[in-house]
Amino acid sequence: MASGGLLSAVAGSIPVVVFELDPAGVILSSTGSGRAPLRSRESNPVGRSVFALYADAPEVLTAVRRALAGEAFVATSRVSTPSGERTFETTYEPSFGSLSGELTRVIGVALDVTVREQARLEAVRSIALLRALAGRAQSEREAERTRVARDLHDDLGQVLTALRFDARYLRRRAGGLDLLDPGILDRRLEEFDTLAARALQNVRDLAANLRPPELDELGLSGALREVARRFEERTGVACEVESTLSCSAEALLVADHATAAFRIVQEALTNVAQHADASSVAVRLSRGRKGVDIVVTDDGKGFEPEKVRCGALGLIGMTERARVWGGELSVIASSGWGTRVGISLPFGDPSAPSQ
Ligand SMILES: Nc1ncnc2c1ncn2[C@@H]1O[C@H](COP(=O)(O)OP(=O)(O)O)[C@@H](O)[C@H]1O
Ligand SMILES: [Mg+2]
């Protein structure tokens, strides 16, 4: 292939615009497949002033002024077209007369980098989102630690202090046990027993809050029935749990995935309580393509997902929790029509180490 043919083949396959400007900024030529999205704003730009054509693109005008002042450089500029904004990375190369040394023209090569720019912006957005999620995870952990510390200090601390008090009393009196009224001894021991039972209950509650024991004892659907019962008690909103999962299918779900499903449903129910104004909510579990499908549907006021404020991390956190384990989350909602949160989680690999 001749080099001219090769050049035009290359120019045809990459989104580039090659143009020439005269010293006043009039376009002398403009060609290349990168022109396609620009055609709707300027079908034939030759003979027209770049300052008139790009009056709405300040970045282009600034760059052209620099080039017409004799500077060679690369600049990024955004241009709006009826089909959306395009980003160009343009190399400006001024030419000068060999005798006069004056600028004769500027050659520009503009590469359409819109796709790359969109990917970059997407990456920037994702990083910001990840930081926000990490921040939330951090503050949730801190809140959890504060709560555990408070419970330990207030509940358990008090009970154990009282137990020590009783134990000391009994020790003091042990030397003269025969002097001790058996009625008093019995009452003290009974108190001792009650306090020990309370301490034990406190420890159980603490552990239960850290990790829901129902999940290990009752399996996912059983644990969700417990959650539903407590939700009904707390909110007065009817909550039914229906499962067509067989016990053997449920047993295939590895612990991390069951915990993720449990937490996501908890969060979905928290949203129903906080935002939905619903009279009933249903949690349905079934066998999915690769694992378990769960759908949480409420008959509340719904919402417009695209209008959710950007600081709201609940739904994003739920989605990320599902994704971590190879699952997916979908939200179908519109104002006035309730909300449906769909969760799919694979069964998981039982031989993989638990995290
Ligand atoms: N079940 C629901 N019914 C009505 N609105 C909901 C429901 N779930 C979520 N939303 C809306 O979506 C928004 C984002 O939810 P979320 O990400 O959990 O953040 P947050 O609960 O902190 O506001 C809520 O503020 C609410 O407007
Ligand atoms: Mg929420």
Side-chain angles (χ1 to χ4, degrees):
M1 198 187 280
S3 67
L6 186 64
L7 268 182
S8 58
V10 170
S13 64
I14 51 174
V16 73
V17 184
V18 181
F19 59 90
E20 274 180 300
L21 305 176
D22 80 358
V26 172
I27 299 170
L28 300 173
S29 68
S30 176
T31 177
S33 61
R35 277 197 36 74
L38 298 176
R39 220 156 264 143
S40 44
R41 34 177 302 146
E42 42 179 55
S43 60
N44 186 11
V46 174
R48 299 180 63 187
S49 162
V50 77
F51 293 106
L53 267 181
Y54 286 89
D56 63 337
E59 289 163 340
V60 173
L61 300 190
T62 309
V64 167
R65 278 192 201 102
R66 277 173 69 189
L68 293 177
E71 197 183 333
F73 61 97
V74 180
T76 302
S77 34
R78 281 159 298 175
V79 175
S80 65
T81 76
S83 55
E85 190 179 79
R86 312 293 305 180
T87 305
F88 288 93
E89 200 171 81
T90 308
T91 306
Y92 291 90
E93 198 59 59
S95 302
F96 302 93
S98 54
L99 290 178
S100 65
E102 278 180 16
L103 182 95
T104 50
R105 59 180 183 155
V106 168
I107 295 175
V109 180
L111 182 64
D112 187 337
V113 293
T114 309
V115 176
R116 196 182 77 191
E117 184 63 7
Q118 276 164 354
R120 191 185 66 81
L121 290 177
E122 190 52 45
V124 168
R125 261 197 298 275
S126 300
I127 289 168
L129 199 61
L130 280 176
R131 290 211 177 113
L133 278 175
R136 191 176 89 138
Q138 189 85 30
S139 49
E140 274 178 358
R141 222 176 4 253
E142 283 307 321
E144 183 82 349
R145 291 170 78 145
T146 309
R147 200 178 51 71
V148 172
R150 199 189 48 224
D151 287 358
L152 279 174
H153 179 269
D154 295 356
D155 300 346
L156 218 57
Q158 271 177 24
V159 175
L160 292 176
T161 307
L163 270 176
R164 283 194 69 196
F165 191 76
D166 275 8
R168 276 197 213 142
Y169 173 84
L170 289 173
R171 267 186 74 199
R172 255 201 328 272
R173 305 300 297 261
L177 252 190
D178 43 356
L179 302 176
L180 192 64
D181 176 350
I184 295 183
L185 181 65
D186 193 53
R187 271 201 306 283
R188 281 293 187 163
L189 284 175
E190 194 187 332
E191 225 174 279
F192 203 92
D193 189 37
T194 313
L195 286 172
R198 254 178 61 195
L200 197 63
Q201 189 56 46
N202 281 343
V203 171
R204 286 198 177 124
D205 290 349
L206 263 171
N209 279 328
L210 290 176
R211 166 146 182 98
E214 312 95 80
L215 212 45
D216 302 319
E217 290 160 13
L218 310 172
L220 182 60
S221 51
L224 289 178
R225 281 199 180 90
E226 266 305 294
V227 168
R229 192 185 56 74
R230 288 201 293 266
F231 175 83
E232 279 189 343
E233 256 172 35
R234 205 175 64 245
T235 63
V237 177
C239 181
E240 63 161 357
V241 176
E242 247 177 51
S243 174
T244 56
L245 269 182
S246 65
C247 290
S248 54
E250 202 165 298
L252 287 175
L253 197 64
V254 300
D256 284 331
H257 295 213
T259 308
F262 182 85
R263 297 288 187 208
I264 295 170
V265 173
Q266 265 188 329
E267 182 86 25
L269 289 178
T270 302
N271 272 351
V272 174
Q274 283 179 343
H275 311 295
D277 213 0
S279 59
S280 72
V281 47
V283 180
R284 298 208 167 78
L285 294 94
S286 59
R287 173 102 193 215
R289 228 167 13 98
K290 286 187 282 178
V292 172
D293 281 356
I294 306 172
V295 181
V296 181
T297 320
D298 70 65
D299 64 354
K301 62 183 184 205
F303 66 106
E304 307 288 336
E306 57 285 350
K307 288 194 191 145
V308 167
R309 68 190 165 87
C310 23
L313 294 175
L315 291 169
I316 295 169
M318 288 153 76
T319 308
E320 288 307 313
R321 217 190 254 272
R323 280 192 189 149
V324 165
W325 306 114
E328 281 165 33
L329 186 125
S330 63
V331 178
I332 301 177
S334 61
S335 287
W337 292 97
T339 300
R340 177 190 184 279
V341 177
I343 305 141
S344 293
L345 276 168
F347 287 125
D349 178 0
S351 61
S354 175
Q355 299 198 353

